[in-house]
């Protein structure tokens, strides 16, 4: 029996990697609660990046309705599992963890078969949206299978 977990995906801007993870997860696990957030507020209120949306759409996932929001301490209480895209996200997450809260924070790449990869490179800087899509899709499918 699959666990009913509330899952939060976290990246820096909440316009590329984490909203894509949210869009894929909610498609393959429509009965589970999930959301995404950025450690920064740089894009709060904005729709996901156009190139990321285009790739997601071509693969059958909709992310156009998602709006960027900043992570809050309260998210540690609202969610059962938090998945970060890179090590800096983890540092920023731990900085706002409420005292005594034990919500697990994992890396998206913990769910990738190729264990030589330890972060999802940020396509906002690398321009490699397809590479980010492929990593995140594999990881979200594996995460869902593991629940
Ligand atoms: P994300 O990508 O963390 O995958 O949403 C980024 C988007 C925007 C910026 C950085 C990363 N930015 O510097 O504005």
């Amino acid at each position: 029996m699959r666990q009913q977990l509330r899952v939060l995906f976290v990246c820096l801007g909440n316009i590329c990697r984490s909203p894509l993870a949210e869009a894929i997860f909610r498609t393959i696990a429509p009965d589970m609660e999930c959301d995404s957030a950025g450690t920064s507020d740089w894009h709060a209120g904005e729709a996901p990046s156009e190139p990321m949306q285009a790739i997601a759409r071509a693969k059958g996932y909709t992310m156009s309705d998602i709006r960027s929001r900043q992570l809050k301490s309260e998210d540690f209480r609202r969610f059962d599992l938090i998945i970060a895209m890179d090590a800096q996200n983890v540092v920023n997450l731990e900085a706002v963890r409420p005292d005594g809260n034990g919500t697990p924070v994992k890396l998206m790449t913990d769910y990738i078969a190729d264990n030589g990869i330890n972060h999802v490179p940020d396509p906002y800087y690398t321009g490699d949206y397809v590479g980010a899509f492929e990593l995140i899709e594999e990881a979200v499918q594996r995460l869902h299978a593991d629940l």
Side-chain angles (χ1 to χ4, degrees), residues 111-137:
Y111 301 93
I112 289 285
D114 178 351
N115 56 20
I117 298 176
N118 64 6
H119 69 291
V120 180
D122 194 335
Y124 189 81
Y125 299 118
T126 67
D128 186 8
Y129 289 88
V130 172
F133 176 89
E134 285 172 352
L135 269 181
I136 291 169
E137 187 185 44

Side-chain angles (χ1 to χ4, degrees), residues 23-123:
I24 296 172
F25 188 84
R26 71 185 182 180
T27 300
I28 62 180
D31 53 332
M32 279 193 232
E33 193 178 325
C34 75
D35 195 7
S36 64
T39 57
S40 77
D41 66 356
W42 299 339
H43 296 275
E46 292 179 23
S49 91
E50 284 298 337
M52 200 81 261
Q53 284 197 51
I55 292 164
R57 200 180 307 119
K59 300 283 188 174
Y61 304 107
T62 303
M63 54 190 301
S64 54
D65 59 305
I66 296 172
R67 293 294 174 269
S68 176
R69 74 164 177 93
Q70 188 173 22
L71 174 78
K72 309 175 270 207
S73 294
E74 192 188 310
D75 287 320
F76 277 89
R77 299 196 188 91
R78 264 185 64 202
F79 294 92
D80 304 304
L81 174 62
I82 299 178
I83 310 277
M85 299 297 148
D86 61 41
Q88 186 60 51
N89 302 154
V90 174
V91 169
N92 294 339
L93 273 156
E94 293 301 341
V96 299
R97 181 191 289 276
D99 287 347
N101 176 279
T103 303
V105 171
K106 303 227 164 130
L107 281 170
M108 187 91 271
T109 48
D110 290 347
Y111 301 93
I112 289 285
D114 178 351
N115 56 20
I117 298 176
N118 64 6
H119 69 291
V120 180
D122 194 335

